[in-house]
Coordinates of all heavy atoms in Angstrom, one line a residue:
N232 N -22.6 -15.9 -22.3 CA -21.8 -14.7 -22.7 C -22.5 -13.4 -22.6 O -21.8 -12.3 -22.6 CB -21.3 -15.0 -24.1 CG -20.3 -16.1 -24.2 OD1 -19.6 -16.4 -23.3 ND2 -20.3 -16.8 -25.4
R233 N -23.8 -13.4 -22.6 CA -24.5 -12.2 -22.4 C -24.3 -11.5 -21.1 O -24.5 -10.3 -20.9 CB -26.0 -12.4 -22.6 CG -26.4 -12.8 -24.1 CD -27.8 -13.1 -24.2 NE -28.7 -12.1 -23.7 CZ -30.0 -12.2 -23.5 NH1 -30.6 -13.3 -23.8 NH2 -30.7 -11.2 -23.1
F234 N -24.0 -12.3 -20.1 CA -23.8 -11.7 -18.7 C -22.3 -11.8 -18.3 O -21.6 -12.8 -18.5 CB -24.6 -12.6 -17.7 CG -26.1 -12.5 -18.0 CD1 -26.7 -13.6 -18.7 CD2 -26.9 -11.5 -17.6 CE1 -28.0 -13.6 -19.0 CE2 -28.2 -11.5 -17.9 CZ -28.8 -12.5 -18.6
K235 N -21.8 -10.7 -17.8 CA -20.4 -10.6 -17.3 C -20.3 -11.2 -15.9 O -21.2 -11.3 -15.1 CB -20.0 -9.2 -17.3 CG -20.1 -8.5 -18.7 CD -19.1 -9.0 -19.7 CE -19.2 -8.3 -21.0 NZ -18.3 -8.8 -22.0
S236 N -19.1 -11.7 -15.6 CA -18.8 -12.3 -14.3 C -18.7 -11.2 -13.3 O -18.2 -10.0 -13.6 CB -17.5 -13.1 -14.4 OG -17.2 -13.5 -13.1
I237 N -19.2 -11.5 -12.1 CA -19.1 -10.5 -11.0 C -17.7 -10.5 -10.3 O -17.4 -9.7 -9.5 CB -20.2 -10.8 -9.9 CG1 -20.0 -12.1 -9.3 CG2 -21.5 -10.6 -10.5 CD1 -20.9 -12.4 -8.1
Q238 N -16.9 -11.5 -10.7 CA -15.5 -11.6 -10.1 C -14.6 -10.8 -11.1 O -14.4 -11.2 -12.2 CB -15.1 -13.0 -10.0 CG -16.0 -13.9 -9.1 CD -16.0 -13.4 -7.7 OE1 -15.0 -12.8 -7.2 NE2 -17.1 -13.6 -7.0
V239 N -14.0 -9.8 -10.5 CA -13.0 -8.9 -11.3 C -11.7 -9.0 -10.6 O -11.5 -8.9 -9.4 CB -13.5 -7.5 -11.3 CG1 -12.5 -6.6 -12.1 CG2 -14.9 -7.4 -11.9
E240 N -10.7 -9.3 -11.4 CA -9.3 -9.5 -10.9 C -8.5 -8.3 -11.3 O -8.5 -7.8 -12.4 CB -8.7 -10.8 -11.5 CG -9.4 -12.0 -11.1 CD -8.7 -13.3 -11.6 OE1 -7.7 -13.1 -12.4 OE2 -9.1 -14.4 -11.3
R241 N -7.7 -7.8 -10.3 CA -6.8 -6.7 -10.5 C -5.4 -7.0 -10.0 O -5.3 -7.7 -8.9 CB -7.3 -5.4 -9.8 CG -8.5 -4.7 -10.5 CD -8.0 -4.0 -11.7 NE -9.0 -3.2 -12.3 CZ -9.8 -3.6 -13.2 NH1 -9.7 -4.8 -13.7 NH2 -10.7 -2.7 -13.8
L242 N -4.4 -6.6 -10.7 CA -3.0 -6.9 -10.3 C -2.7 -6.1 -9.0 O -2.1 -6.7 -8.0 CB -2.0 -6.5 -11.4 CG -0.5 -6.8 -11.1 CD1 -0.3 -8.3 -10.9 CD2 0.3 -6.2 -12.2
V243 N -3.1 -4.9 -8.9 CA -3.0 -4.1 -7.7 C -4.3 -4.0 -7.0 O -5.3 -3.6 -7.7 CB -2.4 -2.7 -8.0 CG1 -2.2 -1.9 -6.7 CG2 -1.0 -2.8 -8.7
P244 N -4.5 -4.3 -5.8 CA -5.8 -4.2 -5.1 C -6.4 -2.8 -5.2 O -5.6 -1.8 -5.1 CB -5.6 -4.6 -3.7 CG -4.3 -5.4 -3.8 CD -3.5 -4.9 -4.8
V245 N -7.7 -2.7 -5.4 CA -8.3 -1.4 -5.5 C -8.7 -0.9 -4.1 O -9.2 -1.7 -3.3 CB -9.6 -1.5 -6.4 CG1 -10.3 -0.2 -6.5 CG2 -9.2 -2.0 -7.8
E246 N -8.5 0.4 -3.9 CA -8.9 1.0 -2.6 C -10.3 1.6 -2.7 O -10.6 2.2 -3.7 CB -7.8 2.1 -2.2 CG -6.4 1.5 -2.0 CD -5.5 2.6 -1.6 OE1 -5.9 3.8 -1.4 OE2 -4.3 2.3 -1.4
F247 N -11.0 1.4 -1.6 CA -12.4 1.9 -1.6 C -12.6 2.9 -0.4 O -11.9 2.8 0.6 CB -13.4 0.7 -1.4 CG -13.3 -0.3 -2.5 CD1 -12.5 -1.4 -2.4 CD2 -14.1 -0.1 -3.6 CE1 -12.5 -2.3 -3.5 CE2 -14.1 -1.0 -4.7 CZ -13.3 -2.1 -4.6
D248 N -13.4 3.9 -0.7 CA -14.0 4.8 0.4 C -15.5 4.7 0.2 O -16.1 5.6 -0.5 CB -13.4 6.2 0.2 CG -13.7 7.1 1.4 OD1 -14.5 6.6 2.3 OD2 -13.2 8.2 1.5
L249 N -16.1 3.8 0.9 CA -17.5 3.6 0.7 C -18.3 4.7 1.3 O -19.5 4.9 0.9 CB -17.9 2.2 1.4 CG -17.2 1.0 0.8 CD1 -17.7 -0.3 1.5 CD2 -17.5 0.9 -0.7
G250 N -17.8 5.5 2.2 CA -18.5 6.6 2.7 C -18.8 7.6 1.6 O -19.8 8.3 1.7
L251 N -17.9 7.7 0.6 CA -18.1 8.6 -0.5 C -18.5 7.9 -1.7 O -18.7 8.5 -2.8 CB -16.8 9.4 -0.8 CG -16.3 10.4 0.2 CD1 -14.9 10.9 -0.1 CD2 -17.3 11.5 0.4
L252 N -18.7 6.6 -1.6 CA -19.1 5.7 -2.8 C -18.0 5.9 -3.9 O -18.4 6.2 -5.1 CB -20.5 6.1 -3.3 CG -21.6 5.8 -2.4 CD1 -23.0 6.2 -3.0 CD2 -21.7 4.3 -2.0
A253 N -16.8 5.8 -3.5 CA -15.7 6.0 -4.5 C -14.7 4.9 -4.4 O -14.5 4.3 -3.3 CB -15.0 7.3 -4.2
C254 N -14.1 4.5 -5.5 CA -13.0 3.6 -5.5 C -11.8 4.1 -6.3 O -12.0 4.9 -7.2 CB -13.5 2.2 -6.2 SG -14.0 2.4 -7.9
F255 N -10.6 3.7 -5.9 CA -9.4 4.3 -6.5 C -8.6 3.1 -7.1 O -8.0 2.3 -6.4 CB -8.6 5.0 -5.5 CG -9.4 6.1 -4.7 CD1 -10.0 5.8 -3.5 CD2 -9.5 7.3 -5.3 CE1 -10.7 6.8 -2.9 CE2 -10.3 8.3 -4.6 CZ -10.8 8.0 -3.4
D256 N -8.5 3.1 -8.4 CA -7.8 2.0 -9.2 C -6.5 2.6 -9.7 O -6.6 3.5 -10.6 CB -8.7 1.5 -10.3 CG -8.1 0.2 -10.9 OD1 -7.0 -0.2 -10.5 OD2 -8.8 -0.3 -11.8
V257 N -5.4 2.1 -9.2 CA -4.1 2.6 -9.7 C -3.4 1.7 -10.7 O -2.2 1.9 -10.9 CB -3.2 2.8 -8.4 CG1 -3.8 3.9 -7.5 CG2 -3.0 1.5 -7.7
N258 N -4.1 0.7 -11.2 CA -3.5 -0.2 -12.2 C -3.3 0.5 -13.5 O -4.0 1.5 -13.9 CB -4.5 -1.4 -12.4 CG -4.5 -2.3 -11.2 OD1 -3.7 -3.2 -11.0 ND2 -5.5 -2.1 -10.4
M259 N -2.2 0.1 -14.2 CA -1.8 0.7 -15.5 C -2.9 0.4 -16.5 O -3.5 -0.6 -16.6 CB -0.5 0.2 -15.9 CG 0.6 0.5 -14.9 SD 1.0 2.2 -14.8 CE 1.6 2.6 -16.4
I260 N -3.1 1.4 -17.4 CA -4.0 1.3 -18.6 C -3.2 0.9 -19.8 O -2.1 1.3 -20.0 CB -4.7 2.7 -18.8 CG1 -5.5 3.1 -17.6 CG2 -5.6 2.6 -20.0 CD1 -6.2 4.4 -17.7
D261 N -3.8 0.0 -20.6 CA -3.2 -0.5 -21.8 C -3.1 0.6 -22.8 O -4.2 0.9 -23.4 CB -4.0 -1.7 -22.3 CG -3.2 -2.5 -23.4 OD1 -2.1 -2.0 -23.8 OD2 -3.7 -3.5 -23.8
E262 N -1.9 1.1 -23.1 CA -1.8 2.2 -24.1 C -2.1 1.7 -25.5 O -2.6 2.5 -26.3 CB -0.4 2.8 -24.0 CG -0.1 3.5 -22.7 CD 1.2 4.1 -22.7 OE1 1.9 4.1 -23.7 OE2 1.6 4.7 -21.6
A263 N -1.9 0.4 -25.8 CA -2.1 -0.1 -27.1 C -3.6 0.0 -27.4 O -4.1 0.3 -28.5 CB -1.6 -1.5 -27.2
Q264 N -4.5 -0.3 -26.4 CA -5.9 -0.2 -26.6 C -6.3 1.2 -26.8 O -7.3 1.5 -27.6 CB -6.6 -0.8 -25.4 CG -6.4 -2.3 -25.2 CD -7.2 -3.1 -26.2 OE1 -8.1 -2.6 -26.9 NE2 -6.8 -4.4 -26.4
L265 N -5.7 2.2 -26.2 CA -6.0 3.6 -26.3 C -5.7 4.1 -27.7 O -6.3 5.0 -28.2 CB -5.4 4.4 -25.3 CG -5.8 4.1 -23.8 CD1 -5.0 5.0 -22.9 CD2 -7.3 4.4 -23.6
R266 N -4.6 3.5 -28.3 CA -4.2 3.9 -29.7 C -4.9 3.2 -30.8 O -4.7 3.5 -32.0 CB -2.7 3.8 -29.8 CG -1.8 4.6 -28.9 CD -0.4 4.6 -29.3 NE 0.5 5.4 -28.4 CZ 1.2 4.8 -27.4 NH1 1.1 3.5 -27.2 NH2 1.9 5.6 -26.7
A267 N -5.7 2.3 -30.4 CA -6.4 1.5 -31.4 C -7.6 2.3 -32.0 O -7.7 3.5 -31.8 CB -7.0 0.2 -30.8
S268 N -8.4 1.7 -32.8 CA -9.5 2.4 -33.5 C -10.5 2.9 -32.4 O -10.5 2.4 -31.3 CB -10.2 1.4 -34.5 OG -10.7 0.3 -33.8
Q269 N -11.3 3.8 -32.9 CA -12.3 4.4 -31.9 C -13.2 3.3 -31.3 O -13.6 3.4 -30.1 CB -13.1 5.5 -32.6 CG -14.0 6.2 -31.7 CD -14.7 7.4 -32.3 OE1 -14.5 7.6 -33.5 NE2 -15.6 8.1 -31.6
K270 N -13.7 2.4 -32.1 CA -14.6 1.4 -31.7 C -13.9 0.5 -30.6 O -14.5 0.2 -29.6 CB -15.1 0.5 -32.9 CG -16.2 -0.5 -32.5 CD -16.7 -1.2 -33.7 CE -17.7 -2.2 -33.4 NZ -18.2 -2.9 -34.6
A271 N -12.7 0.1 -30.9 CA -12.0 -0.8 -29.9 C -11.7 0.0 -28.6 O -11.7 -0.5 -27.5 CB -10.7 -1.3 -30.5

């Protein structure tokens, strides 16, 4: 549990521009998590 998995799943595939070392993730953010406590 101390180490996270290198396999990450996304509902919408993430677009990459490796020439700029940039990735574009258009997946929705969980608003419930954003309204939770500061620690969460």
Side-chain angles (χ1 to χ4, degrees):
N232 293 331
R233 290 174 56 188
F234 301 97
K235 302 292 183 179
S236 174
I237 62 172
Q238 301 297 330
V239 180
E240 296 181 359
R241 283 287 188 269
L242 182 62
V243 180
V245 179
E246 297 182 1
F247 297 93
D248 190 351
L249 299 180
L251 293 174
L252 295 178
C254 63
F255 306 96
D256 190 357
V257 296
N258 290 276
M259 299 295 293
I260 298 177
D261 190 357
E262 296 184 0
Q264 294 288 344
L265 296 178
R266 295 193 182 96
S268 62
Q269 183 176 359
K270 185 176 180 180

